[in-house]
Amino acid sequence: MTDRARAAQVATRTGPVGADIMANRAVRGAADIARGAGPARHYSWLMARDPLLSVTEKGIYCPEGDFFIDPWAPVPRALITHGHADHARPGHAAYLATRAAAPVMRHRLGEIALDTVGYGEARTIGGVTVSFHPAGHVPGSAQIRVERGGEVWVVSGDYKTVPDGLSEPFEPVKCHAFVSECTFGLPVFKWADQAEVMGEVNRWWAGNRAAGRFTLLGAYALGKAQRLLSGLDPGIGPILTHGAVEATNAVMRAQGIALPETVQVTPEIDLKAHAGALVLAPPSALAGPWARRFRPASTGFASGWMALRGVRRRRAADRGFVLSDHADWAGLNAAIAATGAEKVLVTHGYTSVFRRWLESRGYDATIVETEFEGESLEAGEGAA
Amino acid sequence: MKRFARLFTSLDQTTRTTAKVDALAAYFSEAPAADRLWTIALLSGRRPRRAVTTTRLREWAAERAGLPLWLFEECYPVVGDLAETIALVLPPAASASKATLAERMAEIRALATVDEPERKARILNAWDSLDGTERFLFNKLITGGFRVGVSQKLMTRALAQATGQDEAELAHRLMGDWRPETTSYHALIEAPDPAADLSRPYPFYLAYQLEDGPEGLGAPEDWLAEHKWDGIRGQLIVRGAEHFVWSRGEELMTDRFPELAAARDFLPPGTVLDGEILAWAGDRPLAFNALQKRLGRKSVPRKLLEEAPVVLKAYDLLEEGGADTRALPFAERRARLEALLADLPAGLPLRLSPLIAFDTWDSLAETRAASRGLGAEGVMLKRRASPYLAGRKKGDWWKWKVDPLSVDAVMVYAQAGHGRRANLYTDFTFAVWDGAALVPFTKAYSGLTDAEFRQITAWVRKNTLQRFGPVRQVTPQHVFEIAFEGIQESSRHKSGLALRFPRMARWRHDKPAAEANTLDDLRLLLQRYG
Ligand SMILES: [Zn+2]
Ligand SMILES: [Zn+2]
């Protein structure tokens, strides 16, 4: 898409939000309207004074610090919540992320000007103070807190509230306005305990091995794959990996994250010597010719979408395991309540339903149109 | 019910036939007899009737889950299944029920006999004692929508594996008018086959579709050919002093076709015929909708009997003089059938479906091409030497249908699908030209690839002219070839006609809307084939 086309698209998409705000301003007072012109292309969120964050055609923007958070077009300065492709994009002049997120970002984006901070460490940028707090999504993932004179906004990035044994556990951060994802923002999404799900995966693998079958497990190469690895029982048999998974494994091992032993699948690999192995690969690889060498095999996927029987059946996999790196319905509601925020801005997922739900619970809730993608079933390496 | 839920899960999570049969056989070996009986009943489509309206269920589920009804309703299209949506939104079970499947089924049947407050209390109670899959199955059972991807054939095979009984014998036992409420596992499966069960039909033998023409079948003289009629497959049984008519769906239809009672007077007891039930006038069948009117009625008013009289065009003999003839070669069965029907008076609703004489495949192809003119939809090929098997088996029986009819039509309305397809436009309405106007004449929702559905969805979003609730009127631009099996008059449609089995055969990227077919073209097809 050309920049102009993108700008036009964003302009139309954010139109109603902008109109909404103008209406709100009229209620709040004439002084705001007089001051509210601002940069013409900004569709600002409402606060009593100039908003701390607004959304532009390039991403979530902090005018007073002159930086963007997870922008989707090249900008001079980007604060990045985590290394997934829809949040950490190439082309920015300067990046800031957590130390734990840095190795994966360098691996994915190559030579970038990347500055790092530890969790909870405060930085002053322009007129605001920023800090990064664990989001529990994948190792290194963060919520970004922005403060100006006691007014606090938090951008959640992607998050989940239950510990996965690998990522730094989610920490609620008190704030006035919370920008929250809602990928699984419907009450039909409720995650079972990770230990329970991994028990199912291990039993399935052991059963396949006993029946002389390979076990093909599809999951994102970054995050989900390592989470599965750390829950697999290596006593059952050998674990083989697709190159995309193994590359991320290497990055994480180098930063001190313990993972069980894995063998990368290469054209020369002796499959007879790895009979009954579990093969971990991105979902896209399982659909293609790459996976055909493993026969006979039972195929499974691990994703939050597997909670829906229709999705499981349409994937034509033998098994679907409900495991997501995003918060479920209860997790989203608990996280939002824990922030103490009155204002919630919802991004990727069932935004219109979730916004209406929050409003009915007394929140001042708005939809923010972003280009984040949530947990897609189709993409191999993409958003998560 | 836990054991049944485990069975359902293993059947649901594999596409492998052997795995399904193994899971079923294991279940039949270990489950209590009453549960086995109910499982056989459910897997052969003997579902209980719906015990509660879905409107009430939605309200009760939302209330129990502490959700506003609108939020529950928003979840439904995402999940795509009401029973599953309810199972997912409810809070975790407070206790675990030990009720067996049979006990649970008794409770479900009793729901229909109590008043609504009591029904609600019992359903909430059940929800509170069932976990995920059990709860889902319970909801499926009380809404009358229970289904699982196992054919009766597979279930019978598993039952044979578990009991050591003959599969064909079991298939025969499972047919007929039994209900799990009024029989037992022992009586149905194990007890000596009661000769008293006069009504019991034979499993139907079903033909495969011939895709590439008959040349691959070998010598024409090894085969017999008949017309393929577009009616209802039926089995006519005369035993004792009674007669029974069974449909292929194993429905007893004796009372729907009072004409066929004449069989009692003209066929000897111990006769079973296989054939096609058709609405018939003069020397050809009436349009399918004439027969459809008959199917819609349990008892038939005199006027309808006169307007749409039915006949049985018989083409096979399964029992003669009380003896099963299915193992005989088809040519022999056919000869006996002809002898049996030879002396019947004309005008009886029992007729022989004639053989088509042919020497070469080419001459048969000519007869096939003329099928529509005779009110048939193609020809049937049956190997002379073939026994009468059970179910759909490849090799001896083939249906060679005429190519579908088709028209090129313009897409005018689009509607989104369900479940994960809720974000794709998959249901379309098509129109043909009537002068300068486009007249909608059919809907179709299958035949495109996923990629094509995605492509058309993106286009629909950008080319919506008007919205009517979930339906979007779109720019009349895209032309699709609509294939269908038949065409008939219809006063319910603006166009005055209705299609049978319409589907999208092709997206005609090469054709502008102006070159789509006209209403006159359709009327011509109606005249010729309606
Ligand atoms: Zn994301
Ligand atoms: Zn992510």
Side-chain angles (χ1 to χ4, degrees), chain B residues 358-386:
Chain B
F358 70 103
D359 305 324
T360 62
W361 293 127
D362 280 352
S363 69
L364 183 64
E366 269 172 45
T367 311
R368 167 180 173 262
S371 291
R372 281 214 172 91
L374 298 169
E377 53 175 5
V379 297
M380 295 292 303
L381 278 162
K382 297 175 180 174
R383 198 186 289 278
R384 281 175 184 273
S386 61

Side-chain angles (χ1 to χ4, degrees), chain A residues 175-194:
Chain A
C175 58
H176 300 97
F178 186 47
V179 183
S180 175
E181 66 132 321
C182 59
T183 304
F184 291 106
L186 288 180
V188 294
F189 297 109
K190 298 175 186 171
W191 310 149
D193 247 23
Q194 171 168 308

Side-chain angles (χ1 to χ4, degrees), chain A residues 186-190 213 297-298 305 307-311 313-314 317-319 329 350 353 356-357 377-378, chain B residues 8 12-16 66-68 70-71 74-75 78-79 84-85 88-91 136 147 419-421:
Chain A
L186 288 180
V188 294
F189 297 109
K190 298 175 186 171
R213 285 194 290 265
S298 181
W305 294 110
L308 304 181
R309 178 165 172 257
V311 178
R313 293 169 65 82
R314 272 187 287 280
D318 297 307
R319 296 294 298 269
W329 173 256
Y350 295 99
V353 178
R356 188 173 165 195
W357 161 253
L377 256 182
E378 317 305 332
Chain B
F8 177 85
D12 201 41
Q13 72 191 11
T14 182
T15 47
R16 265 187 281 271
L67 299 173
W70 70 263
L71 181 54
E74 290 283 356
C75 293
V78 173
V79 177
E84 187 184 355
T85 309
L88 289 172
V89 300
L90 291 172
F136 167 69
R147 241 168 232 100
R420 280 276 288 176
R421 287 212 152 168

Side-chain angles (χ1 to χ4, degrees), chain B residues 107-401:
Chain B
E107 278 172 39
I108 288 172
R109 275 180 300 134
L111 285 177
T113 66
V114 298
D115 63 8
E116 191 168 289
E118 174 64 15
R119 193 176 301 151
K120 177 180 178 183
R122 291 188 187 186
I123 288 175
L124 290 186
N125 216 343
W127 281 343
D128 229 17
S129 66
L130 296 170
D131 81 0
T133 308
E134 283 184 280
R135 198 188 264 168
F136 167 69
L137 292 174
F138 173 78
N139 292 341
K140 281 285 181 196
L141 290 167
I142 58 175
T143 53
F146 177 81
R147 241 168 232 100
V148 62
V150 174
S151 64
Q152 180 150 348
K153 192 167 98 185
L154 279 195
M155 178 188 63
T156 313
R157 189 187 302 168
L159 202 53
Q161 201 168 304
T163 60
Q165 279 173 258
D166 178 59
E167 191 179 330
E169 154 73 12
L170 281 170
H172 198 177
R173 281 170 176 270
L174 294 184
M175 293 196 80
D177 197 16
W178 63 273
R179 307 280 321 159
E181 295 91 341
T182 53
T183 187
S184 69
Y185 179 81
H186 177 74
L188 183 70
I189 301 298
E190 298 168 334
D193 197 353
D197 196 354
L198 293 177
S199 76
R200 190 169 282 174
Y202 294 97
F204 284 86
Y205 183 14
L206 307 175
Y208 258 87
Q209 173 83 26
L210 189 62
E211 302 290 353
D212 305 321
E215 288 75 15
L217 297 179
E221 51 272 25
D222 291 344
W223 295 83
L224 292 172
E226 305 156 6
H227 296 295
K228 173 161 183 7
W229 302 112
D230 184 16
I232 294 287
R233 182 85 179 270
Q235 207 174 113
L236 173 66
I237 296 175
V238 181
R239 289 186 192 130
E242 293 187 72
H243 85 290
F244 307 92
V245 182
W246 288 96
S247 77
R248 207 191 96 187
E250 275 189 58
E251 201 184 342
L252 195 54
M253 307 184 86
T254 314
D255 296 338
R256 285 186 204 195
F257 304 117
E259 295 99 324
L260 300 181
R264 285 200 305 243
D265 299 330
F266 294 93
L267 295 177
T271 303
V272 178
L273 306 183
D274 181 13
E276 196 88 359
I277 297 168
L278 295 155
W280 194 274
D283 60 352
R284 55 171 295 150
L286 294 165
F288 188 81
N289 61 349
L291 182 60
Q292 209 140 36
K293 280 187 204 146
R294 294 287 305 266
L295 295 175
R297 319 280 304 229
K298 287 242 163 168
S299 64
V300 198
R302 175 176 295 272
K303 185 157 170 287
L304 195 53
L305 270 176
E306 282 162 13
E307 271 174 24
V310 302
V311 301
L312 177 80
K313 296 290 264 183
Y315 39 64
D316 215 324
L317 178 68
L318 311 186
E319 187 176 306
E320 190 187 31
D324 185 348
T325 53
R326 293 178 298 161
L328 297 174
F330 176 58
E332 171 64 22
R333 297 199 308 274
R334 175 82 204 184
R336 294 185 186 200
L337 175 70
E338 287 176 9
L340 190 68
L341 299 184
D343 298 328
L344 295 189
L348 260 199
L350 299 177
R351 316 218 174 139
L352 193 64
S353 182
L355 288 177
I356 301 167
F358 70 103
D359 305 324
T360 62
W361 293 127
D362 280 352
S363 69
L364 183 64
E366 269 172 45
T367 311
R368 167 180 173 262
S371 291
R372 281 214 172 91
L374 298 169
E377 53 175 5
V379 297
M380 295 292 303
L381 278 162
K382 297 175 180 174
R383 198 186 289 278
R384 281 175 184 273
S386 61
Y388 190 95
L389 303 172
R392 205 179 291 284
K393 301 259 159 56
K394 230 174 195 149
D396 289 339
W397 278 29
W398 298 95
K399 52 183 175 191
W400 189 23
K401 295 222 262 185

Side-chain angles (χ1 to χ4, degrees), chain A residues 137-192:
Chain A
H137 175 55
V138 293
S141 68
Q143 312 170 69
I144 296 178
R145 180 183 186 275
V146 182
E147 180 183 351
R148 175 188 60 185
E151 179 187 340
V152 179
W153 288 54
V154 170
V155 177
S156 77
D158 294 338
Y159 67 95
K160 67 172 177 287
T161 52
V162 290
D164 61 14
L166 208 60
S167 314
E168 304 78 2
F170 178 86
E171 275 175 22
V173 182
K174 288 272 174 218
C175 58
H176 300 97
F178 186 47
V179 183
S180 175
E181 66 132 321
C182 59
T183 304
F184 291 106
L186 288 180
V188 294
F189 297 109
K190 298 175 186 171
W191 310 149

Side-chain angles (χ1 to χ4, degrees), chain A residues 82 84 87 137 158 384:
Chain A
H82 68 291
H84 277 144
H87 295 260
H137 175 55
D158 294 338

Side-chain angles (χ1 to χ4, degrees), chain A residues 166 205 217 221 224-235 237-254 257-266 269 274 277-281 290:
Chain A
L166 208 60
W205 178 18
L217 183 54
K224 185 74 66 63
Q226 290 73 31
R227 182 179 174 193
L228 287 165
L229 270 177
S230 67
L232 286 172
D233 175 3
I239 302 172
L240 305 183
T241 51
H242 183 272
V245 172
E246 197 51 40
T248 314
N249 288 353
V251 172
M252 291 201 183
R253 284 189 181 112
I257 295 173
L259 297 173
E261 195 186 320
T262 52
V263 179
Q264 187 179 340
V265 175
T266 58
I269 194 166
H274 297 93
L278 180 139
V279 185
L280 198 54
W290 181 85

